[in-house]
Amino acid sequence: MRRVRLRRKSVLINLALATAMLTGAGFAYAAVDDGGGSARATRARTGKVTKGTVMATVSASGSLTSPSDVGVGFTAAGRVTAVGVKVGDHVTAGQVLAQIDPTQAQETLDAAQAAVTVAQANLTKARAGTPVPQNGGGGNGGGGGNQGTDIQNTALRGGTGGTGGHPGTAGPDDVPTTTPTTAPPRSSSPPVTQPHPTITVTITKTPAATPTPSTTVDAAAVSQAESALVAANNKVADAQRALDGCVLTAPSAGVVASVSGKVGDTVSAAGGGGSGSSGTGGNGQSQGQGGGGGATSSGSTVTGFVVLANPTGMETKVSFPEADAAKVKAGQPATVTLNVNSAIRLNAKVVSVNPLPDSGGSAGSVKYGATIALDGDVSALRTGQTANISVIVAQADNALQVPSTALTGASTGTGSTASVRVLVNGVEQRRPVTVGVVGDQTTQILTGLAEGDEIVLGTVATTGGTAGSTSGRAGQSTRGGTGGGAGFPGAGALTGGGITGGGGASGGGFPRGGSR
């Protein structure tokens, strides 16, 4: 019986304790969330509509490259006889970098020039043609004699006077004769005989023309000889370039980034490696066996017997996600910062945007490449440095602007609508606005507000007698009690919707958690 009584007594005590705990928790909750008491007193956090520059940007990162970096190599094969530079040297355009033995190139040039001489002679012979034999030469000569006789006869037949009042005419074989003169009638004088006139004739005989033998020219042979001469001249030009290429010179100013050979190495003309030891580039890595002859490029890496770095024209190639890439256009301004020194800020410009997506992209992560060219002084930059690019895709100067967090509703771009809370004589009003450029921090307002208007940015809680403070725009608050009384726990802290009771000043606290 005693055990039964003890059990009943224990049950009653536990019930009393549970009732006390529930009652205390209720008072604590009421103290925290009293539905508008002094603990929940708030005031509006406001700001002004201002004018300024609204800027929208998209960002990406990439490595710096320079189109002016160049690798140069020999255009002839041979043994290296001199290397005049080392890694880190500053060189000027036209400076001699290295040389190879020109003997082989000179022999090739001499042979090519001899071939040109032969080709020129063949062309001259083809253009001269082949002589054609002639027939009937004697007959032609006789004809010439007849012609001379005719000329002489013609000269002899020329008369000095004519009859019947026509001077200068005569018969074919006329010879001048004496013309008798008859005395007038009834005259007894004897007839008078007239003397013959004296005629002087000058005869010029034209010699017979000597015939010239004719020739025939084979047009096909001439064309073939001309083609052979052109080919021979081209070989001379190639051989001359090869001879000139035995002396390696700098095409532009720059800094020597690598030298891939030494004296005694054998190089080829097309970039192939020959015998010899490996050279060392500017980064300390081997550049190849025996030195490269020509210059080649693999991606953004430039190679050659000597590689020159030149930051002139520094640029970077970056990729943007498809949503951002749709906003990027050639000619847009950009800014560049470097990982090596974030204080360096350079101006840049979008040169081009690739209309095709980057290769290797997976579904849902399509990206498009763009080339960004840097402006200003880039002499201190180096190929390979990491650059952070920010492209300005939209900008509004001297525009009415408000913080983007003050807007509610759609604000996706120019022409869209949203709303802003405005204080008019201390009374809060919701006002529709038309949005312009949506920037990274602020948004342009086209209509609905004026400069100087007071807008509501959020709310802040005031501090009451036993209540804590409220802050934040996202509904997150922290309310801390000042202390418990009469054995009840102090008000807990409300953070992110969770309430946790703290111990009171005069009694044990009862934790209470929950979500609002």
Side-chain angles (χ1 to χ4, degrees), residues 23-51:
T23 303
F27 277 106
Y29 184 82
V32 174
D33 193 3
D34 58 0
S38 60
R40 292 184 60 83
T42 61
R43 64 179 177 83
R45 183 168 64 89
T46 63
K48 298 286 187 179
V49 178
T50 60
K51 280 191 174 183

Side-chain angles (χ1 to χ4, degrees), residues 453-478:
D453 285 350
E454 189 174 11
I455 59 175
V456 177
L457 304 178
T459 58
V460 293
T462 59
T463 302
T466 59
S469 63
T470 304
S471 65
R473 298 191 305 273
Q476 296 183 349
S477 59
T478 302

Side-chain angles (χ1 to χ4, degrees), residues 398-424:
N398 196 31
L400 286 177
Q401 61 178 356
V402 298
S404 298
T405 54
L407 295 169
T408 57
S411 58
T412 57
T414 301
S416 61
T417 58
S419 62
V420 179
R421 291 181 294 168
V422 183
L423 286 182
V424 180

